[in-house]
Amino acid sequence: MATLSLTQFLTLDGVHQAPGGPQEDPSGGFEHGGWSVPYGDEDFGQFMNEVFTRPTAFLLGRRTYEIFAGYWPKQTDPDDPVAGKLNALPKYVATTTLTSADWAGTTLLRGDVAKEVAELKGSLDGEIQMHGSGGLARTLLDNDLIDTLHLLVFPVILGAGRRLFSDGVRPTAFRHTAARTTGSGVAIHTYELVGRPEYGSY
């Protein structure tokens, strides 16, 4: 059985929208796209390269898939650890709108996403990785299907944009298992799923 990990870029106020460029996702009038780019130093690159040594498959939301599919198939350097894995390994896309996918190795998941992802985890081995895909991530968090969170928290506040942990997310407890900080100030935290929160009183 496979595990499912999520690697997500967040601002200090929890925004995950359009970290990679001004035109990545301007929906909702979002004007701050590309906010992660000034912090992309060597430490950041090293962490991301480490992440991409582990996957056996990828799970993406439709929007993230379209962003990735517009860029990574054109990156053909055999020594690029990210492009090599994204282009070679199976990719599963949760979508209600796509009817086909041109990127080699892509399968569309068009049914009940929680059920299909649970079945996918049961049928594969190793680590299925999600990158971005915040809307899909929230659905899977509400169904306890994400085993590991890698949250990269950037030292910037935007005050607008889509947030990963919005009101109504299912209360969930995690165990903090790793932390590091890049030279540019990105705090990288890893959490493993525990289950429901426990409560007490002081």
Side-chain angles (χ1 to χ4, degrees):
M1 181 170 179
T3 61
L4 177 59
S5 70
L6 169 66
T7 299
Q8 187 68 265
F9 299 173
L10 298 173
T11 66
L12 287 173
D13 55 338
V15 173
H16 68 84
Q17 186 172 354
Q23 301 306 313
E24 188 175 69
D25 178 12
S27 63
F30 187 66
E31 299 177 345
H32 306 287
W35 49 265
S36 76
V37 176
Y39 304 97
D41 61 6
E42 183 177 347
D43 295 335
F44 170 82
Q46 179 179 339
F47 174 79
M48 293 306 299
N49 286 343
E50 291 171 8
V51 169
F52 276 89
T53 64
R54 300 191 301 264
T56 53
F58 295 97
L59 173 64
L60 304 170
R62 189 267 306 167
R63 190 189 305 272
T64 301
Y65 170 77
E66 290 180 334
I67 293 168
F68 279 19
Y71 178 80
W72 289 110
K74 303 171 187 175
Q75 310 309 307
T76 57
D77 181 354
D79 296 324
D80 186 324
V82 178
K85 289 296 177 70
L86 281 170
N87 288 321
L89 292 176
K91 293 163 285 289
Y92 299 88
V93 182
T95 180
T96 58
T97 56
L98 293 180
T99 57
S100 63
D102 295 331
W103 195 0
T106 299
T107 300
L108 301 182
L109 305 179
R110 296 180 49 82
D112 181 322
V113 66
K115 179 181 178 182
E116 293 208 31
V117 171
E119 292 174 352
L120 186 65
K121 290 177 66 177
S123 67
L124 299 178
D125 294 315
E127 179 182 341
I128 305 169
Q129 289 189 355
M130 291 179 61
H131 294 269
S133 307
L136 174 61
R138 284 192 296 272
T139 298
L140 300 182
L141 284 166
D142 285 345
N143 287 274
D144 291 333
L145 288 168
I146 298 179
D147 303 288
T148 304
L149 297 176
H150 301 294
L151 302 182
L152 286 73
V153 183
F154 291 73
V156 59
I157 292 173
L158 299 180
R162 289 196 302 275
R163 289 166 170 80
L164 180 62
F165 303 116
S166 54
D167 288 350
V169 69
R170 185 180 190 183
T172 307
F174 290 84
R175 181 177 64 257
H176 188 246
T177 58
R180 62 208 276 187
T181 304
T182 70
S184 63
V186 180
I188 304 173
H189 294 278
T190 298
Y191 300 88
E192 302 292 339
L193 177 66
V194 172
R196 304 281 70 78
E198 297 180 0
Y199 304 95
S201 174
Y202 289 111

